[in-house]
Amino acid sequence: GLLRTIGLGKYAKNWLGSLDTAFPCMLIYWVFYIGYYMVIMMADITNVDESYYEAAKIDGAGTISQHIYVTIPLIRGSISTCVTLAMIFGLRTFEQVYLLTNGGPANRTSVLVLYLYNQMKTNDYGGANASSVMLILTGACVILLIRKFFSRFDRD
């Protein structure tokens, strides 16, 4: 209705019910969580001492170089935390998918936790148990890979 009101009626359709647009709409919904991670990173960026930037400026570093070689290495811990939280959030996503599309259309937006829920709902406890074990193993592997990736930079 809003699109028709502002003159964009040709775009008015069932965005969550279409095979072509359901998944991109779910991604757009997830993008709105970027503010949560921005708060974490901005809190760490404000704690970076100005003397690092002054030293980089004296050495001839521009603004972009200062961010690449000063800011990012000093907030690596926050970046690691945000990446870990984002991955865990992605693995445990249920309510958005359940409320918006229930995994449809044609399971295009289905996630592992929704599959687990549907298995429990149909009393298939073996399938639910197997999918929950896979969810735990996937989460553990993702966390280990993230930790290994960021520990590689700590040695440098």
Side-chain angles (χ1 to χ4, degrees):
L2 175 67
L3 291 173
R4 285 188 194 96
T5 304
I6 62 173
L8 297 173
K10 66 180 180 179
Y11 296 111
K13 65 178 184 176
N14 185 2
W15 289 86
L16 293 172
S18 172
L19 288 172
D20 297 332
T21 58
F23 189 70
C25 286
M26 296 303 296
L27 290 178
I28 290 169
Y29 180 86
W30 288 324
V31 164
F32 286 111
Y33 278 92
I34 199 167
Y36 176 69
Y37 308 116
M38 284 177 61
V39 168
I40 294 171
M41 301 249 270
M42 288 303 295
D44 205 16
I45 288 172
T46 57
N47 288 329
V48 175
D49 191 12
E50 286 295 321
S51 63
Y52 292 116
Y53 296 113
E54 291 171 8
K57 197 173 200 178
I58 290 170
D59 287 342
T63 305
I64 294 174
S65 296
Q66 288 177 17
H67 289 303
I68 291 172
Y69 297 108
V70 176
T71 307
I72 292 175
L74 290 175
I75 65 165
R76 191 175 306 126
S78 292
I79 295 171
S80 172
T81 300
C82 289
V83 169
T84 303
L85 288 173
M87 290 297 155
I88 291 171
F89 174 75
L91 285 173
R92 70 167 182 80
T93 298
F94 169 75
E95 59 273 353
Q96 301 92 306
V97 175
Y98 181 72
L99 292 173
L100 292 175
T101 64
N102 199 17
N107 287 326
R108 193 59 69 97
T109 60
S110 189
V111 292
L112 186 57
V113 181
L114 181 64
Y115 177 78
L116 191 150
Y117 173 76
N118 289 331
Q119 294 297 314
M120 292 290 288
K121 196 166 67 171
T122 60
N123 295 326
D124 182 10
Y125 298 117
N129 187 21
S131 60
S132 64
V133 168
M134 289 306 298
L135 182 65
I136 291 169
L137 289 175
T138 303
C141 288
V142 165
I143 290 172
L144 288 173
L145 287 173
I146 290 169
R147 287 181 58 116
K148 184 175 178 119
F149 177 76
F150 280 98
S151 69
R152 181 179 67 160
F153 294 111
D154 289 339
R155 284 183 256 131
D156 291 344

